[in-house]
Amino acid sequence: MGVRLLHRTTRRVGLTEAGHAFLERIAPALSEIDDAIDALRQHGDRPAGTLRIAVPQMVLDHLIAPCVASFMRAWPEVKLDIQVENRLTDLIADGFDAGIRLGERLARDMVALPLGGPQRAVVVGSPAYFAAHGRPIHPRDLSTHDCVRFRFSSNAIYRWEFAHPTGASKGQWFELDVDGPITTNDPSMAIRAAIDGLGLTHMVEPSVRAALADGRLQSVLDDWLPPFDGFYLYYPSRLQVPPKLRAFIEHLRQHCAVLATAHERQ
């Protein structure tokens, strides 16, 4: 074209002003080409391309993160785009291939595959906290305790859920709006605050299993917290499942089976 695009010396190569301007103009086209190649790969038999998944924070550490490395080693042509979302994600509108959600919150037009079976929630606190404040024996006793509250991405505060263990209302779930000195949208922060004796927190049991096992946390109100429908991987029913998603589903199922076996042995 008769225009210098590069400055070249014996040590380095750099763009000229014209080179910078040219690159800025063609960058969107190059990105479109990359996306087109990525989409074409998805129609092949071998898993490849970018897999976008929406995952709630509460399952990231114990369910998703531990199996990412082994999945990437097994399928190096797949790129994972994991978005941590503490809200009800619209997969189609937000451009996700799949998501993970509690069974009770699944939309009817989704294909849902169970992960890990039923779950339990626990209310936990540190031994030091219980020594100083006593133990609640009924959910209504929480009104006199410091509680670490959880805020969703929608800005709503999670209301702690319990089920009646006996009587005419046995098995019926109800909610409580607790109060306390700390509110966070990070489960790890809530668990850390409970371990540090700042209050009680309400979590899915796998998130605090290690801290319960080594005594850093203790659970209360167990009779009021029966098992509930667990987590599911879900995707739109009209989606023709691409190889990359099929591979991830199978890998995640195997990981969940290993976790279940290990938990039973404990």
Side-chain angles (χ1 to χ4, degrees):
M1 300 300 293
V3 178
R4 180 183 291 275
L5 300 180
L6 302 171
H7 289 302
R8 186 185 302 273
T9 69
T10 56
R11 294 187 177 183
R12 63 185 299 272
V13 177
L15 289 169
T16 65
E17 182 180 359
H20 276 293
F22 182 63
L23 182 59
E24 288 180 2
R25 292 291 299 272
I26 67 171
L30 293 175
S31 179
E32 286 291 325
I33 292 172
D34 287 340
D35 290 344
I37 293 173
D38 186 55
L40 188 60
R41 284 173 175 164
Q42 295 179 25
H43 293 287
D45 294 330
R46 181 170 176 81
T50 300
L51 182 64
R52 297 195 71 224
I53 302 174
V55 178
Q57 180 74 52
M58 69 178 71
V59 302
L60 180 67
D61 291 339
H62 72 274
L63 193 59
I64 301 300
C67 69
V68 167
S70 56
F71 177 79
M72 300 304 295
R73 285 192 289 265
W75 304 109
E77 295 180 43
V78 178
K79 296 180 180 179
L80 283 180
D81 184 346
I82 300 173
Q83 184 74 26
V84 180
E85 294 280 1
N86 294 319
R87 63 185 177 93
L88 299 181
T89 306
D90 186 330
L91 297 185
I92 297 175
D94 295 335
F96 289 100
D97 295 291
I100 293 177
R101 186 182 290 182
L102 285 171
E104 63 193 54
R105 297 181 179 180
L106 289 169
R108 293 182 179 179
D109 59 344
M110 293 288 163
V111 176
L113 305 172
L115 299 174
Q119 297 283 334
R120 283 192 71 246
V122 287
V123 173
V124 295
S126 71
Y129 177 88
F130 290 128
H133 301 278
R135 295 171 177 265
I137 59 174
H138 190 285
R140 64 171 170 262
D141 298 338
L142 294 171
S143 62
T144 63
H145 284 267
D146 292 332
C147 298
V148 182
R149 306 193 304 164
F150 182 80
R151 185 187 301 277
F152 292 108
S153 299
S154 64
N155 213 36
I157 301 295
Y158 173 65
R159 293 167 61 89
W160 292 15
E161 297 173 277
F162 299 93
H164 294 276
T166 59
S169 300
K170 182 177 180 179
Q172 295 182 17
W173 290 84
F174 62 96
E175 299 177 350
L176 284 179
D177 187 14
V178 298
D179 196 12
I182 297 175
T183 300
T184 179
N185 66 347
D186 182 3
S188 298
M189 175 65 203
I191 295 169
R192 180 76 258 174
I195 290 174
D196 289 343
L198 300 179
L200 307 179
T201 193
H202 186 292
M203 284 285 155
V204 289
E205 188 270 342
S207 300
V208 293
R209 187 173 292 160
L212 287 170
D214 63 22
R216 287 176 295 159
L217 290 174
Q218 298 172 352
S219 65
V220 291
L221 302 174
D222 290 343
D223 290 343
W224 296 83
L225 292 162
F228 57 89
D229 203 10
F231 291 97
Y232 288 74
L233 184 142
Y234 69 103
Y235 56 89
S237 58
R238 65 174 180 267
L239 176 68
Q240 182 178 359
V241 183
K244 60 182 180 180
L245 181 53
R246 286 201 303 268
F248 185 78
I249 290 171
E250 181 58 29
H251 196 86
L252 192 55
R253 278 177 162 173
Q254 292 176 5
H255 174 68
C256 289
V258 171
L259 286 178
T261 301
H263 183 49
E264 289 174 0
R265 290 175 177 172
Q266 291 176 356

